[in-house]
């Protein structure tokens, strides 16, 4: 493992970076970013022009480890009928940490993992234990909705490690509406165990998990229909298509997901997609991936069998979607409900010689399904607007007509068809993907301790880029417009002028909070007052800046500025987030 020597202490380097940006910029000192637009309720939904009209409901289908790039959605005809055809699918939607636990915390908190610091599946750096110990449920989407009068309901997988000894629901969920799956039976399809509203555990044997969740969901919806005036959030989270997980004396064992018996006969000829990055001959990835041997025939057969099991296990979820939406319609709840279908992170099978799993920054693991239907949402549409799980809380709050906290790491997603109703939000261009734990291949005993990395994703008109700095000191850079399967690492063939911009942006995103996450270019190019505006009052309130995208940052006049900024590096390959392990390497010794 390569270790990089620390050149200076972190606080000094951060100060130098900030001073350098300010000194090198031709702009005056930065002004505070404008508070996110908080559109009134009547401006948020087409046809909802009555200020006193009932706030919308939110129903979320949250699957576990569902892929986008292996085409599982194409095997769910009912998701297509009720959601894809009746709503908008966001094709550039991402998780920013490709692991279940941190991804789910980002979904509900609106924070990157480096801010909420739940970075693993198990204690001490992850799981429900870490979530509760940090009191993250004091200030997150469920409490904000509850404070506005919402009834919040949850059934299925919450985050990893919910203990059978759980006595209280997290803040934001009324104990009468909280039924999470509990360890160690979260991932057992025919022997699930639920915690029932702070009461006794409810164990099931021989009944399919998703079917139990389906029955419980209908009962909950019928109960919610009794109160016509109280809006609700309802999260339905089956574990399909996640592997079954079995704790053993020799460690955790993964086996393929188990379908309902009625679906076992389906898709017998289905195979994992043979994209160009499936078990490639040439592998120029980071060293731990590059060292992987090509998959043999037996491994490929196992991958195909796992792929079929995943598709089969999703059929009960497909039926669940239809049943729930029909019940919403029967109960008169459908027209005022936003329905979301998403997952916590993606999944790879055979990609870049990797057997099965997640945890990388590649498209297969981070680019995930996100579909939304509801009042004012365009039907049968695909949007290329860029968004992440950190955008989700702001989106819900905006659709509900509620204030959006200034410290959220992302703004809301432009989901409404009529953008004039939606307000000033814009699509993101840049966001970070970050990871601090070991990589492992499910269904194997292989573990890799050098999978700590930070990436910057840049997606805009004409470009789609992935730039990664690894804890080993290695770098990867992919142009996904020319190379959508990330076959060719072009880091060593790329001009320094481009890499300097990517390093600078990653340096901002790696520690960003709130406004600096939402608008990282403003740190590098602070806003300036419009000097041509003769109206002094407007000059005080109106800010301008010339750079808000990579395309604008690539202007040659900024070459020297970016060339002088420090680079990001890790001190060591730790399996947890420690700010002192992440630092900047000055370009010049005098810095």
């Amino acid at each position: 493992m390569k270790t990089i020597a620390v050149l200076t202490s972190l606080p000094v380097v951060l100060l130098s970076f900030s001073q350098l940006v300010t000194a090198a910029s031709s702009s005056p000192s930065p002004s505070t970013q404008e508070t996110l637009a908080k559109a009134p309720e009547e401006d948020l939904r087409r046809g909802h022009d009555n200020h006193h009209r009932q706030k919308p409901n939110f129903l979320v289908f949250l699957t576990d480890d569902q892929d986008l790039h292996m085409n599982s959605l194409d095997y769910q005809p009912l998701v297509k009928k009720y959601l894809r055809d009746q709503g908008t699918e966001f094709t550039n939607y991402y998780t920013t940490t490709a692991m279940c636990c941190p991804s789910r915390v980002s979904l509900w908190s609106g924070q990157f993992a480096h801010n909420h610091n739940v970075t693993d599946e198990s204690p001490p750096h992850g799981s429900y234990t870490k979530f509760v110990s940090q009191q993250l449920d004091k200030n997150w989407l469920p409490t904000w909705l509850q404070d506005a009068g919402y009834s919040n309901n949850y059934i299925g997988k919450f985050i990893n490690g919910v203990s059978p000894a759980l006595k209280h629901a997290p803040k934001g969920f009324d104990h009468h509406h909280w039924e999470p799956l509990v360890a160690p039976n979260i991932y057992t399809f025919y022997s699930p165990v639920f915690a029932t509203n702070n009461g006794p555990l409810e164990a099931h044997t021989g009944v399919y998990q998703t079917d139990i969740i389906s029955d419980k969901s209908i009962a909950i919806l019928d109960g919610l229909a009794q109160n016509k005036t109280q809006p609700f959030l309802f999260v339905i989270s089956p574990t399909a298509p996640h592997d079954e997980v079995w704790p053993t004396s020799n460690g955790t064992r993964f086996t393929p997901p188990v379908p309902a018996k009625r679906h076992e006969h389906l898709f017998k000829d289905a195979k994992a997609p043979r994209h160009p990055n499936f078990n490639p001959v040439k592998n120029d990835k980071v060293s731990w991936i590059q060292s992987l041997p090509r998959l043999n025939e037996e491994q490929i057969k196992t991958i195909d069998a796992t792929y079929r099991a995943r598709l089969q296990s999703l059929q009960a979820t497909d039926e669940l979607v239809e049943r729930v939406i029909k019940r919403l319609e029967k109960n008169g709840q459908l027209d005022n409900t936003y329905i979301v279908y998403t997952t916590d992170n993606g999944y790879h099978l055979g990609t870049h010689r990797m057997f099965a799993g997640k945890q990388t920054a590649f498209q297969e693991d981070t680019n995930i399904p996100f579909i939304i239907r509801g009042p004012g949402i365009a039907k049968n549409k695909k949007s290329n607007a860029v968004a992440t799980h950190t955008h989700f809380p702001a989106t819900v709050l905006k659709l509900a007509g509620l204030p959006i906290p200034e410290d959220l790491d992302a703004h809301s997603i432009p989901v409404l068809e009529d953008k004039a109703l939606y307000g000033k939000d814009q699509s993101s261009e840049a966001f970070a993907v970050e990871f601090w734990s070991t990589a492992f291949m499910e269904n194997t005993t292989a573990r890799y301790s050098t999978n700590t990395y930070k990436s910057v994703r840049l997606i805009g008109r004409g470009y789609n880029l992935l730039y990664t700095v690894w804890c080993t000191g290695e770098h990867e850079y992919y142009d996904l417009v020319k190379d959508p399967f990330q076959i060719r690492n072009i880091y060593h063939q790329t001009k320094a002028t481009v890499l300097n911009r990517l390093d600078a942006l990653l340096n901002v995103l790696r520690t960003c909070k709130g406004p600096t996450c939402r608008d990282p270019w403003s740190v590098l190019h602070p806003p300036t007052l419009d000097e041509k505006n003769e109206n002094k009052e407007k000059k005080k309130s109106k800010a301008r800046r010339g750079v808000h995208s990579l395309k604008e940052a690539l202007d040659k006049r900024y070459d020297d500025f970016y060339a002088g900024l420090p680079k990001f590096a890790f001190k060591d390959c730790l399996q947890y987030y420690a700010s002192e392990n992440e630092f900047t390497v000055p370009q010049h010794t005098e810095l």
Side-chain angles (χ1 to χ4, degrees):
M1 178 181 68
K2 181 180 178 181
T3 301
I4 303 171
V6 182
L7 298 183
T8 185
S9 65
L10 182 65
V12 174
V13 172
L14 291 178
L15 179 60
S16 299
F17 181 72
S18 175
Q19 290 175 333
L20 181 57
V21 169
T22 303
S25 172
S26 59
S27 307
S29 58
S31 61
T32 304
Q33 177 171 318
E34 228 174 278
T35 302
L36 288 175
K38 299 177 178 65
E41 180 181 345
E42 64 268 27
D43 288 339
L44 292 174
R45 301 184 304 280
R46 174 173 293 177
H48 288 217
D49 55 357
N50 184 341
H51 184 68
H52 300 290
R53 191 177 181 91
Q54 173 70 30
K55 288 187 179 298
N57 307 311
F58 297 93
L59 190 144
V60 180
F61 294 104
L62 180 59
T63 62
D64 203 359
D65 284 14
Q66 183 167 1
D67 62 275
L68 178 64
H69 289 270
M70 293 191 299
N71 310 324
S72 62
L73 284 174
D74 295 339
Y75 289 83
Q76 293 180 273
L78 299 176
V79 167
K80 180 181 187 304
K81 177 180 178 179
Y82 291 100
L83 295 174
R84 298 175 93 176
D85 290 351
Q86 296 298 319
T88 298
E89 182 175 354
F90 285 78
T91 58
N92 282 325
Y93 188 89
Y94 291 81
T95 180
T96 56
T97 304
M99 179 179 273
C100 303
C101 196
S103 179
R104 286 172 180 251
V105 176
S106 290
L107 176 70
W108 300 114
S109 68
Q111 293 182 323
F112 285 106
H114 70 257
N115 287 328
H116 62 64
N117 203 23
V118 177
T119 59
D120 207 342
E121 307 284 40
S122 305
H125 306 296
S127 87
Y128 189 70
T129 302
K130 179 69 176 286
F131 172 83
V132 171
S133 69
Q134 295 189 139
Q135 300 183 331
L136 292 173
D137 58 345
K138 279 190 171 182
N139 193 31
W140 64 326
L141 181 61
T143 56
W144 302 327
L145 291 176
Q146 189 179 69
D147 289 345
Y150 274 76
S151 167
N152 297 331
N153 309 263
Y154 205 106
I155 176 72
K157 178 184 173 181
F158 179 52
I159 59 178
N160 299 66
V162 176
S163 167
L166 173 71
K167 298 300 183 184
H168 301 286
K171 294 177 177 62
F173 288 96
D174 187 292
H175 71 273
H176 294 300
H177 307 286
W178 171 248
E179 297 190 44
L181 286 159
V182 299
N185 294 69
I186 294 175
Y187 298 106
T188 54
F189 284 88
Y190 272 101
S191 56
V193 177
F194 295 82
T196 54
N197 302 324
N198 292 3
L201 297 181
E202 182 181 283
H204 298 265
T205 301
V207 185
Y208 196 63
Q209 182 208 100
T210 309
D211 293 343
I212 298 169
I213 290 174
S214 180
D215 290 343
K216 286 178 173 290
S217 296
I218 296 303
I220 291 171
L221 284 175
D222 289 347
L224 292 172
Q226 301 305 307
N227 188 339
K228 301 293 185 182
T229 61
Q230 185 178 29
F232 64 79
L233 165 71
F234 185 15
V235 185
I236 304 173
S237 187
T239 58
H242 197 288
D243 277 5
E244 287 203 311
V245 180
W246 305 92
T248 72
S249 58
N250 295 322
T252 303
R253 184 167 63 94
F254 291 80
T255 57
V258 176
K261 295 187 184 304
R262 63 187 179 276
H263 300 135
E264 290 175 343
H265 67 286
L266 297 175
F267 318 126
K268 291 299 185 181
D269 297 325
K271 294 182 177 181
R274 295 326 197 237
H275 295 313
N277 59 5
F278 182 86
N279 198 24
V281 174
K282 183 180 179 181
N283 187 343
D284 65 351
K285 301 294 163 286
V286 66
S287 56
W288 79 261
I289 299 178
Q290 196 173 121
S291 68
L292 298 174
R294 292 198 74 202
L295 300 166
N296 60 41
E297 290 186 10
E298 284 303 312
Q299 289 174 312
I300 292 175
K301 286 181 182 178
T302 301
I303 283 172
D304 288 337
T306 299
Y307 182 69
R308 288 189 290 273
R310 286 170 57 83
L311 298 180
Q312 292 164 348
S313 73
L314 280 167
Q315 299 314 297
T317 301
D318 207 39
E319 296 167 353
L320 165 67
V321 168
E322 179 180 55
R323 189 180 182 198
V324 165
I325 291 178
K326 282 187 173 181
R327 186 54 62 101
L328 283 170
E329 186 173 30
K330 179 181 178 181
N331 290 346
Q333 300 160 312
L334 183 59
D335 289 344
N336 196 40
T337 300
Y338 289 100
I339 305 172
V340 169
Y341 188 96
T342 189
T343 191
D344 45 17
N345 44 251
Y347 198 77
H348 62 249
L349 277 168
T351 300
H352 307 300
R353 302 185 190 173
M354 295 184 291
F355 187 79
K358 42 192 180 283
Q359 305 157 357
T360 77
F362 297 129
Q363 284 281 88
E364 289 77 14
D365 293 355
T366 57
N367 189 199
I368 57 178
F370 186 87
I371 310 162
I372 181 170
R373 67 169 283 182
I377 306 290
K379 296 182 178 181
N380 194 25
K381 179 185 176 182
K382 289 190 176 183
S383 170
N384 62 3
V386 181
T388 72
H389 270 346
T390 56
H391 290 73
F392 184 72
T395 305
V396 170
L397 292 172
K398 188 144 195 178
L399 291 171
L402 298 173
I404 299 174
E406 179 64 18
D407 60 354
L408 290 186
D409 289 343
H411 52 65
S412 55
I413 309 168
V415 295
L416 294 186
E417 185 173 20
D418 189 338
K419 300 300 186 289
L421 290 177
Y422 197 68
K424 299 178 181 179
D425 288 345
Q426 59 184 6
S427 175
S428 296
E429 181 212 43
F431 59 91
V433 178
E434 45 195 13
F435 201 89
W436 300 272
S437 188
T438 56
F440 62 91
M441 302 299 157
E442 295 177 2
N443 303 314
T444 77
T445 58
R447 297 291 185 270
Y448 303 90
S449 61
T450 57
N451 192 51
T452 296
Y453 63 83
K454 287 214 174 183
S455 300
V456 59
R457 287 302 313 265
L458 282 135
I459 304 174
R461 184 169 297 179
Y463 55 90
N464 185 340
L465 308 174
L466 168 60
Y467 177 67
T468 303
V469 176
W470 292 84
C471 64
T472 55
E474 297 169 277
H475 296 75
E476 288 184 306
Y477 178 43
Y478 299 96
D479 180 342
L480 277 76
V481 172
K482 298 177 181 178
D483 179 19
F485 297 103
Q486 304 122 107
I487 297 294
R488 184 168 173 254
N489 178 9
I490 58 173
Y491 176 76
H492 293 293
Q493 290 78 47
T494 302
K495 294 180 179 178
T497 52
V498 175
L499 297 177
N500 289 339
R501 268 76 170 177
L502 299 176
D503 276 311
L505 194 59
L506 182 56
N507 244 332
V508 173
L509 289 170
R510 71 182 178 90
T511 57
C512 70
K513 293 181 184 294
T516 56
C517 297
R518 299 194 299 266
D519 190 7
W521 290 112
S522 68
V523 177
L524 298 162
H525 299 272
T528 63
L529 296 178
D530 185 358
E531 296 177 356
K532 294 182 180 180
N533 190 338
E534 296 180 359
N535 187 317
K536 293 183 178 180
E537 291 303 316
K538 288 184 178 180
K539 285 174 69 177
K540 291 179 181 178
S541 61
K542 185 176 181 180
R544 295 185 61 192
R545 59 182 171 84
V547 173
H548 60 273
S549 70
L550 176 64
K551 183 178 179 180
E552 294 171 351
L554 285 171
D555 191 304
K556 291 183 178 180
R557 60 180 163 163
Y558 302 126
D559 283 355
D560 291 342
F561 166 66
Y562 281 103
L565 296 181
K567 308 286 188 180
F568 166 65
F570 291 91
K571 178 183 177 182
D572 209 341
C573 287
L574 301 181
Q575 273 71 63
Y576 57 90
Y577 175 54
S579 59
E580 62 271 17
N581 190 53
E582 302 178 5
F583 62 100
T584 51
V585 180
Q587 291 280 51
H588 306 291
T589 55
E590 65 265 27
L591 293 177

